[in-house]
């Protein structure tokens, strides 16, 4: 049965009222099976912002590397200071680049996941009792994920991962942030404010050209462990597949109270 965008929006809202507007699953790509097993065991390998900046600069590889990671770089055309009483210009400066960076950010472990909220997924079948969803990737995107991110993919139950991360950080008494990355220009107001206020949300911004990554990012307020692992405990919902098998997966959600008469009459 076909479904209009309005019907899909309503259906997703009803499901999310029972689950969460966050993804139902997180995807973690790995270059080999042993790394994927580490993820299943809850051993999450992290890197620092400095690592990602250096990787692009040294290899030219943008995506796996990002020279702008945790670095706010704003190009100004001119700066003028005006006396509000007289309107006289007190000071002017030519155009230049203003950079904001926190040294301590280069000690903090960052772990990346791919997350697809239900509203972004593709509905392939729906009726009064169930809806079937697929990941919204094109064939080229599936190929790119395998080549860039890794041959293996770990599918993780989102609620278990979120609960384990919260328990880990509570146990060690450390702050953290785990949320969707915002892909935008460097000069977007909320991005600049996050840096100006030294807010932890600054970890959730990346430049617009990387939006294909669909990243959900974990940053933990501790110094990077010597072995780079954040160990949150074995994950019972984790499942390892080959990355190119993602295109075959269907997420089927059953329900009994969807108001048929409102949308299907």
């Amino acid at each position: 049965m076909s479904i209009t965008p309005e019907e899909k929006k309503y259906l997703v809202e009803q499901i999310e009222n029972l689950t969460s507007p966050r993804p139902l699953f997180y995807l973690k790509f790995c270059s080999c099976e042993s790394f994927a097993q580490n993820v299943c065991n809850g051993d999450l390998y992290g890197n620092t912002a400095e690592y990602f900046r250096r990787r692009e600069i040294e290899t030219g590889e943008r995506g796996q590397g990002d020279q702008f990671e945790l670095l706010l770089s704003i190009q100004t055309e001119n700066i003028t200071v005006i006396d509000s009483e007289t309107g006289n210009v007190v000071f002017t400066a030519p155009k230049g680049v203003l950079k904001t960076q926190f040294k301590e950010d280069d000690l903090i472990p960052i772990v990346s996941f791919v997350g697809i909220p239900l509203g972004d997924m593709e509905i392939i079948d729906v009726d009064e009792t169930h809806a079937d969803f697929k990941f919204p990737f094109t064939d080229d995107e599936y190929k790119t994920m395998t080549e860039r991110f890794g041959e293996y993919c770990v599918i993780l139950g989102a609620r278990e991962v979120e609960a384990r991360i919260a328990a880990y950080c509570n146990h060690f008494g450390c702050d953290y942030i785990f949320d969707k990355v915002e892909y935008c220009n460097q000069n977007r107001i909320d991005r600049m404010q996050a840096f100006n206020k030294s807010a932890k949300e600054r970890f959730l911004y990346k430049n617009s050209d990387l939006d294909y990554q669909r990243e959900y990012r974990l940053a933990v307020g501790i110094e990077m462990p010597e072995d780079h692992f954040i160990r949150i405990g074995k994950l019972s919902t984790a499942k390892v597949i080959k990355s190119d098998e993602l295109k075959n997966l269907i997420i089927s959600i059953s329900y009994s109270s969807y108001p048929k008469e409102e949308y299907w009459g």
Side-chain angles (χ1 to χ4, degrees):
M1 179 183 292
S2 62
I3 185 171
T4 67
E6 292 77 15
E7 290 169 348
K8 177 186 176 183
K9 181 175 184 292
Y10 178 80
L11 174 60
V12 168
E13 286 175 350
Q14 301 312 301
I15 296 173
E16 289 181 342
N17 283 340
L18 300 174
T19 56
S20 168
R22 295 173 69 97
L24 297 176
F25 306 95
Y26 295 114
L27 308 178
K28 185 67 176 168
F29 292 90
C30 303
S31 59
C32 67
E33 196 166 5
S34 63
F35 293 168
Q37 191 57 53
N38 286 339
V39 177
C40 294
N41 292 334
D43 299 335
L44 307 179
Y45 191 87
N47 269 308
T48 63
E50 190 271 337
Y51 166 83
F52 294 114
R53 289 196 301 271
R54 189 177 68 247
R55 178 159 183 165
E56 182 180 4
I57 292 170
E58 292 179 352
T59 69
E61 186 178 316
R62 181 151 180 77
Q64 294 291 335
D66 179 7
Q67 62 182 303
F68 303 107
E69 190 71 76
L70 270 294
L71 173 65
L72 186 69
S73 180
I74 305 298
Q75 182 167 326
T76 60
E77 292 303 317
N78 58 70
I79 299 174
T80 304
V81 179
I82 301 173
D83 187 316
S84 61
E85 294 292 329
T86 65
N88 294 331
V89 175
V90 177
F91 173 83
T92 62
K95 69 178 181 179
V97 177
L98 300 176
K99 292 186 178 181
T100 304
Q101 182 180 351
F102 296 94
K103 186 176 181 180
E104 60 267 26
D105 289 355
D106 287 345
L107 302 175
I108 292 176
I110 297 170
V111 182
S112 300
F113 303 82
V114 173
I116 314 293
L118 203 57
D120 291 344
M121 298 188 78
E122 178 186 351
I123 293 183
I124 59 171
D125 187 39
V126 61
D127 61 21
E128 299 89 341
T129 62
H130 85 289
D132 291 343
F133 296 81
K134 291 192 72 172
F135 292 111
F137 304 122
T138 65
D139 289 341
D140 285 343
E141 285 176 317
Y142 280 117
K143 182 179 179 182
T144 297
M145 284 188 292
T146 299
E147 292 174 349
R148 290 188 180 182
F149 299 159
E151 184 180 353
Y152 293 87
C153 178
V154 188
I155 304 174
L156 302 161
R159 303 296 84 80
E160 182 184 25
V161 171
E162 292 161 2
R164 289 292 183 85
I165 289 170
Y168 174 95
C169 294
N170 182 62
H171 176 76
F172 288 103
C174 58
D175 199 7
Y176 75 99
I177 190 165
F178 180 31
D179 215 334
K180 183 178 183 179
V181 168
E182 290 286 332
Y183 299 95
C184 61
N185 296 327
Q186 289 260 339
N187 61 349
R188 203 171 86 175
I189 294 298
D190 55 339
R191 184 173 184 172
M192 291 191 293
Q193 289 176 334
F195 276 83
N196 290 338
K197 296 177 180 178
S198 188
K200 61 185 178 182
E201 284 75 16
R202 68 184 181 274
F203 282 86
L204 300 179
Y205 291 95
K206 299 181 78 169
N207 285 14
S208 301
D209 64 309
L210 299 178
D211 62 356
Y212 67 89
Q213 295 178 338
R214 303 172 187 260
E215 181 180 349
Y216 274 71
R217 166 171 288 184
L218 169 66
V220 182
I222 58 173
E223 187 170 333
M224 174 69 79
E226 187 173 342
D227 63 1
H228 284 239
F229 281 110
I230 304 298
R231 302 182 186 276
I232 63 174
K234 189 174 178 62
L235 298 165
S236 63
T237 59
K239 174 70 175 178
V240 180
I241 65 171
K242 288 290 191 72
S243 297
D244 60 7
E245 294 175 2
L246 276 173
K247 60 179 177 291
N248 302 325
L249 298 186
I250 296 174
I251 295 90
S252 186
I253 300 176
S254 300
Y255 41 79
S256 59
S257 59
Y258 188 80
K260 167 186 173 183
E261 65 276 3
E262 181 168 347
Y263 276 107
W264 281 295

